[in-house]
């Protein structure tokens, strides 16, 4: 009887692990199809979204489009590209705003809205789940640092 119980617990644990892995989004950085930007390094993406620069490496204006704080895609993006958790990100922007050095990126409510904004303006950059990339935006290859 105890063997059956242990096997049942092991199976339940594996199912939970598989479910949590399926929830994790494969986040990609996107630009307009007409954007001159062809690739960026991970730290360049982080600098744009953390307000450390407002320009792409070629000198063009870079306007980041963020997702709202309740978005799992947002959490995955900031963890992957900046190494910051949601609370660390909030502390970062509180400090920047308090010192008058900047404002966080404009946040929109969905990946569809990110795609719409990015597609309309070649100066914008955003992030979405890789499964949502279509002909309206281009996923940006990220260079190794």
């Amino acid at each position: 009887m105890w063997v059956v119980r242990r096997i049942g617990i092991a199976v339940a644990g594996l199912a939970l692990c598989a479910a949590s892995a399926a929830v994790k989004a494969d986040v990609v950085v996107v630009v307009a199809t007409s954007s001159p930007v062809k690739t960026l390094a991970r730290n360049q993406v982080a600098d744009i979204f953390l307000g450390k620069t407002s320009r792409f490496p070629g000198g063009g204006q870079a306007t980041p489009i963020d997702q709202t704080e309740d978005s799992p895609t947002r959490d995955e993006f900031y963890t992957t590209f900046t190494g910051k958790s949601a609370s660390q990100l909030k502390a970062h922007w509180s400090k920047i705003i308090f010192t008058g050095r900047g404002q966080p990126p404009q946040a929109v409510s969905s990946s569809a809205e990110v795609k719409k904004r990015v597609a309309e303006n070649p100066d914008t950059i955003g992030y979405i789940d890789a499964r949502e990339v279509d002909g309206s935006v281009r996923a940006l290859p990220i260079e190794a640092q």
Side-chain angles (χ1 to χ4, degrees), residues 18-93:
S20 67
V23 171
K24 184 177 175 183
D26 185 15
V27 178
V28 294
V29 176
V30 292
V31 293
T33 55
S34 61
S35 173
V37 178
K38 300 300 179 207
T39 186
L40 288 174
R42 190 173 304 276
N43 67 318
Q44 292 170 317
V45 173
D47 287 350
I48 291 168
F49 278 89
L50 294 175
K52 295 178 180 180
T53 185
S54 62
R55 300 268 173 206
F56 287 117
Q61 181 68 35
T63 305
I65 304 295
D66 211 346
Q67 294 196 33
T68 54
E69 289 183 21
D70 61 345
S71 165
T73 304
R74 181 181 196 261
D75 292 342
E76 184 65 28
F77 170 78
Y78 280 103
T79 300
T80 301
F81 284 87
T82 70
K84 292 187 182 296
S85 67
S87 59
Q88 290 170 322
L89 187 62
K90 189 172 275 210
H92 167 81
W93 281 112

Side-chain angles (χ1 to χ4, degrees), residues 49-54 92-105:
F49 278 89
L50 294 175
K52 295 178 180 180
T53 185
S54 62
H92 167 81
W93 281 112
S94 293
K95 180 179 172 184
I96 299 296
I97 293 166
F98 181 75
T99 59
R101 294 183 304 176
Q103 291 291 318

